[in-house]
Amino acid sequence: LREILRELVQSAPSKVYVDGTTGDGGHAEAILEASAPSGKLLAVDRDRNAIAEAKRRLSRFAGRVVLVQGNFKELNEILKHHRIDKAAGVILDLGLSSSQIEDPRRGFSFRLDGPLDMRQDQQQPQTAADLVNFLPPTDLEKIIRTYGEERWSKRIACAIAEARKKSPITSTLQLAEIIRRAIPAKFHPPKTNPATRSFQALRIAVNDELDGLGGAVRQIIFCLEQGGRVGIISYHSLEDRIIKQTLRSLSGQCICPPEIPICSCGQKPQVKIITSKPIVPSIEEIGYGWLKDVRSNRGDCAMSRARCLAISRANTLTYIKGGIDNDKI
């Protein structure tokens, strides 16, 4: 977090900043503190519960923060609506918040029994239960294979199709058990739940997380003032890949296939990445309490995040990447 703040805030403390994935409000609070007394923040999140929690948490910054339920992929329109021309810094934390993971009613966790929901925006109609119970097995298999990178996707899809013939699949633990039985025991991951990749795939499909992600990053760049900065935290490899490819293009790096001897893509630099080596968070930031609390959902997730979080600093772009596929949710 210190590295993020140093990149986003310290060079321009009196500017306007955007937290496009406000969640529980941790990053938003830190940005407001670091940009005091005159920095302002637009806090955006798809989850109205998150906005309500952030409103409570950020109440002491009244007059400096505006909270909006919306999608960062529509940031340009949100800025126009609030008459903000350009932002000095934008942060995105792609993934789930602690409150979403820990609330069984949200249906994100395969460790807690709850309805198969998985919607970040609970006003949207389609839930994970709809996909699991009504999609053809071939479509289910494609989702699990593509978004979960699950080698047993076909077996899992067939097992789900057989199970729902008997009765609807309505709970997280019910689905997790079906997935566990579908994967041969000797191939169960030694340190993660067998349902990890399938749950990730369904969540991505329900929330349409990857569609337009690269375009959203490009849009955010054009929402920045000259010299503005953006920080992106990604966790699973699919997000990571899209972000990397987008950054290569934005930084002017050649994106031609390696077998083509002469560059023909015509890329021109719009951002400059100046540090590629990762910067790992300190033990103080991770917190010994989280490291020790390996039995809790939050402790497991925090441990994985600390192990995988890395930061690349940039002149106009800060890229923060991870490698966790929500293994510990």
Side-chain angles (χ1 to χ4, degrees), residues 205-225:
V206 167
N207 296 290
D208 197 20
E209 294 180 20
L210 299 183
D211 185 37
L213 178 57
V217 173
R218 291 178 178 274
Q219 178 188 148
I220 288 170
I221 296 301
F222 289 104
C223 290
L224 294 173
E225 61 183 36

Side-chain angles (χ1 to χ4, degrees), residues 8 16 42 66 87 125 150 201 206 222 242-243 246 269 287 307:
L8 289 180
V16 176
L42 181 68
V66 175
E150 172 61 74
V206 167
F222 289 104
I242 293 171
I243 299 298
T246 304
R307 186 174 61 245

Side-chain angles (χ1 to χ4, degrees), residues 42-285:
L42 181 68
V44 181
D45 201 283
R46 298 175 67 180
D47 189 341
R48 62 182 177 183
N49 292 343
I51 291 295
E53 170 59 23
K55 183 177 181 180
R56 182 197 63 78
R57 182 171 184 170
L58 304 176
S59 59
R60 62 190 174 99
F61 301 104
R64 293 180 53 213
V65 59
V66 175
L67 293 108
V68 178
Q69 183 184 357
N71 194 323
F72 68 82
K73 295 178 182 178
E74 302 165 351
L75 183 59
N76 189 43
E77 294 303 315
I78 294 173
L79 289 175
K80 286 181 180 178
H81 179 76
H82 290 275
R83 298 181 180 180
I84 299 173
D85 183 27
K86 298 288 184 179
V90 178
I91 185 169
L92 302 178
D93 188 347
L94 308 177
L96 299 175
S97 67
S98 296
S99 60
Q100 288 173 329
I101 297 169
E102 294 168 355
D103 186 351
R105 296 170 298 179
R106 303 301 301 273
F108 288 110
S109 176
F110 42 68
R111 296 187 174 209
L112 302 173
D113 197 21
L116 268 179
D117 193 320
M118 299 194 190
R119 293 173 297 173
Q120 291 184 337
D121 178 359
Q122 293 186 296
Q123 294 176 316
Q124 72 178 51
Q126 183 175 259
T127 67
D130 295 326
L131 300 185
V132 166
N133 287 292
F134 299 112
L135 279 184
T138 52
D139 291 351
L140 265 179
E141 189 276 331
K142 183 178 180 180
I143 286 174
I144 296 170
R145 170 173 46 85
T146 304
Y147 293 153
E149 299 178 298
E150 172 61 74
R151 63 178 293 196
W152 302 103
S153 57
K154 189 171 184 178
R155 287 177 64 109
I156 292 168
C158 289
I160 290 172
E162 286 300 313
R164 71 190 187 189
K165 289 178 182 178
K166 301 174 184 177
S167 61
I169 303 169
T170 58
S171 79
T172 53
L173 291 188
Q174 182 185 6
L175 177 61
E177 179 62 16
I178 292 169
I179 296 170
R180 186 188 68 81
R181 292 182 178 181
I183 301 175
K186 67 178 181 179
F187 292 107
H188 285 188
K191 296 182 180 180
T192 62
N193 191 296
T196 295
R197 293 180 177 274
S198 298
F199 268 62
Q200 172 187 297
L202 290 169
R203 191 200 81 221
I204 290 173
V206 167
N207 296 290
D208 197 20
E209 294 180 20
L210 299 183
D211 185 37
L213 178 57
V217 173
R218 291 178 178 274
Q219 178 188 148
I220 288 170
I221 296 301
F222 289 104
C223 290
L224 294 173
E225 61 183 36
Q226 186 68 32
R229 302 178 180 191
V230 56
I232 304 172
I233 304 174
S234 66
Y235 291 92
H236 57 73
S237 59
L238 300 175
E239 290 173 343
D240 193 40
R241 194 173 303 133
I242 293 171
I243 299 298
K244 280 182 178 178
Q245 291 171 350
T246 304
L247 297 193
R248 285 188 62 192
S249 175
L250 288 168
S251 63
Q253 296 181 38
C254 176
I255 57 173
C256 294
E259 62 270 15
I260 297 179
I262 301 175
C263 174
S264 60
C265 64
Q267 293 295 315
K268 295 182 179 180
Q270 299 171 42
V271 299
K272 182 180 180 182
I273 303 173
I274 59 174
T275 303
S276 58
K277 294 182 179 179
I279 302 172
V280 181
S282 66
I283 292 296
E284 290 78 15
E285 183 174 343

Side-chain angles (χ1 to χ4, degrees), residues 291-306:
L291 286 173
K292 292 178 180 178
D293 189 16
V294 295
R295 293 185 180 181
S296 73
N297 296 306
R298 180 168 181 169
D300 284 350
C301 187
M303 210 170 133
S304 299
R305 177 182 173 126

